[in-house]
Amino acid sequence: AGAARGAPAGLRTETRGSALHLELSGEWRAAAVARLGRELESLPLGGVGEVVVHTAGAGTIDLAGGWLLHRLEARVRAAGATL
């Protein structure tokens, strides 16, 4: 996680079967909430059975970043998938 410290927040997605994998990177802080929120809201969840979030590449996840992940969890569950 040290290499991610100070880096801009990022999100990479990969579909493996019915699972959507999200790789977080950089600083998931309040300054990036608007952009990250749009990216997370645009994730296609139709046909996804499971969402797997990988946080090893993230530097810091503050309260605002955690809130985005909480909102993602609600959206995933509403779509009938697991997180």
Side-chain angles (χ1 to χ4, degrees), residues 8-24:
L11 174 66
R12 189 176 69 80
T13 63
E14 181 182 344
T15 302
R16 299 180 204 157
S18 67
L20 176 63
H21 290 255
L22 307 178
E23 301 269 349
L24 310 186

Side-chain angles (χ1 to χ4, degrees), residues 1-64:
R5 205 162 293 286
L11 174 66
R12 189 176 69 80
T13 63
E14 181 182 344
T15 302
R16 299 180 204 157
S18 67
L20 176 63
H21 290 255
L22 307 178
E23 301 269 349
L24 310 186
S25 61
E27 301 290 320
W28 278 59
R29 295 177 168 267
V33 161
R35 179 180 56 81
L36 292 170
R38 286 189 300 272
E39 287 184 43
L40 290 172
E41 287 296 319
S42 71
L43 292 174
L45 296 179
V48 171
E50 177 183 27
V51 174
V52 180
V53 180
H54 302 273
T55 60
T60 300
I61 301 175
D62 71 4
L63 185 60

